[in-house]
Amino acid sequence: MTQAQLDVDIAIVGGGHVGGTLAALLAASRCGWRVALIEAGSLWQQAQQTTTDSAAGGDARSTALSFGTVDILRQLQLWHLLESHATPIRTIHVSDRGRFPGTRLSAEDHQVEALGYVIENHTLGRVLAGFLLAQTHITLFDATRVASVTPVAGGMCLQLQQQEKTITLTAALAVVADGGDSPLRRSLGIQVQQQDYAQTAIIANVTFTHPHQGVAWERFTDFGPMALLPLDGARGKRAALIWTLPAADAELWLNAPDADFLTALQQRFGTRAGRFTHVGRRVAFPLQLRIAQEQIRQGLVLVGNAAHFLHPVAGQGLNLAVRDCVMLTEVLKEARERQQSPGDLAVLRHYLQRQQQDQSITIDASDKLVKWFSTRHPLYVTLRHLGFLSLAGVPGLEQYFAARAMGTAGRAPRWQRMAIQEAADATDL
Ligand SMILES: Cc1cc2nc3c(=O)[nH]c(=O)nc-3n(C[C@H](O)[C@H](O)[C@H](O)COP(=O)(O)OP(=O)(O)OC[C@H]3O[C@@H](n4cnc5c(N)ncnc54)[C@H](O)[C@@H]3O)c2cc1C
C-alpha cells in the first residue's frame, strides 16, 4: 500500500450531478482556488457511456431542467452538447384524478420557447463527466472514495482510498456532495430532519401510441402523484414515468409482468397520452423529505441531496441544488477577492443567508404539494372532496407550476452577476 499527502483549498466529495456542477462552476469562474473533486465511481467510464434505458445498470431516470439550470449549462458551454438530447416541455398538463378537469400551462402563454427541458440522467452525467475530465483547473480523483473527513486546524483532513493507495488530503473547505444517504454527514454527527412520505417512486421509461408533442403530465391521485416527462423530442412517443405509490404497493408493481403494469398504469392515467405499449426497466426510490440540520460548519458545507433530499413531485431537487452551487461559487469568488479562507464560517454563513429563502420556499412548496394533493390524510381528502383544495382553487398554484418549471420563482437569479469566463477553452470535448 502506498501513501501520499496533498493540500488544496476546496475539496468536493462526490462527482454526481451536484458535486460535478459545483466543480464545473468553480473551474469556469476562474476563482483562483485550488479545487479537488473526488468521485467514488468512475467519471472516465461515465464519459464513455452511451447507456440507454434498456441497458442494465445505467441510471434510467430523467430530470426536468428549469430555465435557470439550462441557463447555467449554457454559460458553462455545455448546453450545445445537451440540447439535441433534451426535449423541450411545451405544455404542462396538471390534473387531480377524479376531481378536476385539469390545467394546461403552455410555453406560448408564458411567451417562452419551452417551460423547461427533459434530459436523461445518463446523458447529463456523460456530458458533465467529459467536461470535468477536460479541466486543467481541477485536481480530479476518479474512482477514489473518501473514507473520512476530520476537522483539523485550518480546515479539514480527508482520507482518500484509491485502490491500494491511501491519500491524505487537507483542504480549507470540504464540500460534502455524497448524496442523500451521505455516510460522511452521518460520520460528522450531523442530524437530519426526516419525514417519511410512506411513498415510493417507481421510475421507468414508457412508450405510447401517440407523439407526446412536448406535453409533460402531472397527475395527482389519492395514492400519490404520477408524472410523465416527454423524451425524444416533440415527435417522440417515449416518456419518463415517475409513479408514486404507497410504499406497501411498490414491490408488487416493481415486479409485476409488463402487461399488468401497463394495464394498471393505463387505468390510473387514463388515455390522455394514448395507449401505453412498452415499459422499460423499473427502479424504485423510497421517498422522504430529509433536511440536514446543519449545512455549514467551519471548513465544511453540505450540498445537493446531502443537504436536502426532496420529493421529486415538483422536479426541484437538482434545480435547487444548482442554484445553491451558483450562490456558493459566487460567495467563494468574493471570499477570494477579499482574501478570506473559503472555509471561514463567516463566508459560509453568508452563502447560507443568501440561499436560505430559496431553499425554504422550494422545500416547503414541494412538501405542501405532496401533502395536499397526494395523500389519503382524512383532512386533505375532505378538503379536496369539498373543493376547498383544488389546483384551480389554491391561489397562485398554477403560476407556481409555470414559474418553478421555468426557474423563475423565488428570488431573481443572480448568476448573471457571476463572471464565468472562457469556459469554452476548457470544454474541448
Ligand atoms: C425519481 C426522482 C426524480 C427526480 N427528478 C428530478 C427532476 O425532474 N428535476 C430535478 O431538479 N431533480 C429531480 N430529482 C432530484 C435529483 O435527482 C437530485 O437532486 C440529484 O440527483 C442529487 O444529486 P447529488 O449529486 O446530490 O447526489 P447523487 O446523485 O447521489 O451523487 C452523489 C455522488 O457522490 C459519490 N460518492 C458518494 N460517497 C462518496 C465518497 N465517500 N467518496 C467519493 N464519492 C462519493 C457517488 O458515487 C455519487 O456520484 C429527482 C430525484 C428522484 C429520486
Side-chain angles (χ1 to χ4, degrees):
M1 181 176 293
T2 52
Q3 293 206 338
Q5 194 143 7
L6 280 159
D7 181 57
V8 293
D9 298 311
I10 302 169
I12 303 170
V13 186
H17 291 348
V18 177
T21 301
L22 178 63
L25 283 162
L26 286 169
S29 72
R30 299 284 202 272
C31 58
W33 297 119
R34 293 166 303 152
V35 179
L37 175 67
I38 309 114
E39 168 53 38
S42 171
L43 290 173
W44 187 84
Q45 265 178 21
Q46 239 186 79
Q48 318 296 318
Q49 198 180 326
T50 49
T51 316
T52 58
D53 166 36
S54 51
D59 187 343
R61 276 180 297 166
S62 293
T63 298
L65 302 176
S66 70
F67 244 43
T69 301
V70 168
D71 190 33
I72 288 300
L73 293 166
R74 214 172 251 138
Q75 289 187 53
L76 287 170
Q77 310 275 332
L78 291 178
W79 186 241
H80 70 284
L81 299 167
L82 292 164
E83 196 170 8
S84 61
H85 304 280
T87 301
I89 302 176
R90 305 257 184 243
T91 310
I92 302 179
H93 191 282
V94 189
S95 59
D96 193 357
R97 187 171 182 252
R99 284 180 197 94
F100 183 64
T103 303
R104 283 178 88 87
L105 308 164
S106 77
E108 220 171 38
D109 292 348
H110 290 85
Q111 296 172 346
V112 286
E113 84 196 35
L115 292 164
Y117 291 84
V118 185
I119 189 91
E120 293 186 70
N121 280 15
H122 68 82
T123 305
L124 184 56
R126 174 171 55 76
V127 169
L128 201 51
F131 177 92
L132 295 168
L133 289 165
Q135 294 300 313
T136 49
H137 299 279
I138 304 170
T139 307
L140 203 59
F141 294 93
D142 201 22
T144 305
R145 200 177 67 83
V146 175
S148 65
V149 176
T150 324
V152 289
M156 292 283 165
C157 177
L158 292 82
Q159 291 298 331
L160 277 52
Q161 204 62 50
Q162 191 182 58
Q163 292 180 338
E164 293 304 295
K165 199 168 158 190
T166 304
I167 301 162
T168 302
L169 187 69
T170 48
L173 174 65
V175 182
V176 174
D178 61 347
D181 286 338
S182 189
L184 291 177
R185 181 186 61 206
R186 208 173 313 123
S187 74
L188 286 158
I190 296 178
Q191 301 296 314
V192 171
Q193 182 199 332
Q194 189 159 315
Q195 196 179 168
D196 195 344
Y197 291 118
Q199 291 179 343
T200 295
I202 294 185
I203 308 302
N205 290 341
V206 292
T207 310
F208 31 77
T209 44
H210 304 329
H212 49 60
Q213 295 178 330
V215 179
W217 307 89
E218 184 96 52
R219 190 150 167 77
F220 293 96
T221 77
D222 285 350
F223 300 98
M226 305 172 86
L228 275 181
L229 301 174
L231 293 173
D232 300 338
R235 301 293 304 155
K237 293 180 179 175
R238 202 166 61 101
L241 168 72
I242 305 172
W243 182 358
T244 318
L245 294 155
D249 298 347
E251 192 70 19
L252 172 72
W253 293 112
L254 193 62
N255 299 313
D258 286 2
D260 296 355
F261 183 87
L262 291 171
T263 305
L265 182 62
Q266 196 81 65
Q267 274 169 1
R268 282 161 179 77
F269 204 81
T271 51
R272 47 184 47 80
R275 197 167 55 77
F276 294 104
T277 55
H278 175 76
V279 57
R281 190 166 62 90
R282 281 165 255 165
V283 185
F285 291 87
L287 299 176
Q288 292 173 333
L289 176 66
R290 248 181 274 157
I291 315 284
Q293 293 302 281
E294 293 168 83
Q295 282 187 39
I296 53 166
R297 280 183 184 174
Q298 176 74 35
L300 186 81
V301 59
L302 270 52
V303 293
N305 277 359
H308 36 64
F309 180 88
L310 316 188
H311 195 296
V313 62
Q316 284 306 310
L318 181 64
N319 291 311
L320 173 62
V322 168
R323 296 198 294 274
D324 288 349
C325 289
V326 168
M327 189 61 82
L328 186 56
T329 305
E330 203 175 289
V331 167
L332 290 173
K333 196 172 160 63
E334 288 168 8
R336 177 81 183 172
E337 284 154 15
R338 286 199 218 108
Q339 300 187 333
Q340 282 175 292
S341 163
D344 193 327
L345 194 55
V347 169
L348 300 174
R349 278 206 186 110
H350 197 192
Y351 152 69
L352 208 53
Q353 273 162 13
R354 285 200 197 166
Q355 204 40 28
Q356 203 130 44
Q357 192 188 9
D358 187 13
Q359 287 192 5
S360 343
I361 290 173
T362 309
I363 293 166
D364 194 47
S366 4
D367 182 47
K368 283 208 171 77
L369 219 53
V370 179
K371 287 194 183 132
W372 288 356
F373 292 101
S374 54
T375 70
R376 308 201 75 196
H377 188 293
L379 172 67
Y380 299 117
V381 170
T382 309
L383 287 172
R384 288 165 64 185
H385 277 294
L386 292 174
F388 289 124
L389 260 185
S390 75
L391 293 169
V394 178
L397 199 63
E398 282 186 36
Q399 286 73 14
Y400 166 82
F401 271 100
R404 280 290 148 197
M406 293 189 288
T408 53
R411 58 141 176 80
R414 294 172 202 240
W415 46 77
Q416 286 90 342
R417 279 178 41 205
M418 194 178 65
I420 296 180
Q421 298 160 359
E422 301 156 28
D425 60 339
T427 323
D428 190 17
L429 300 175

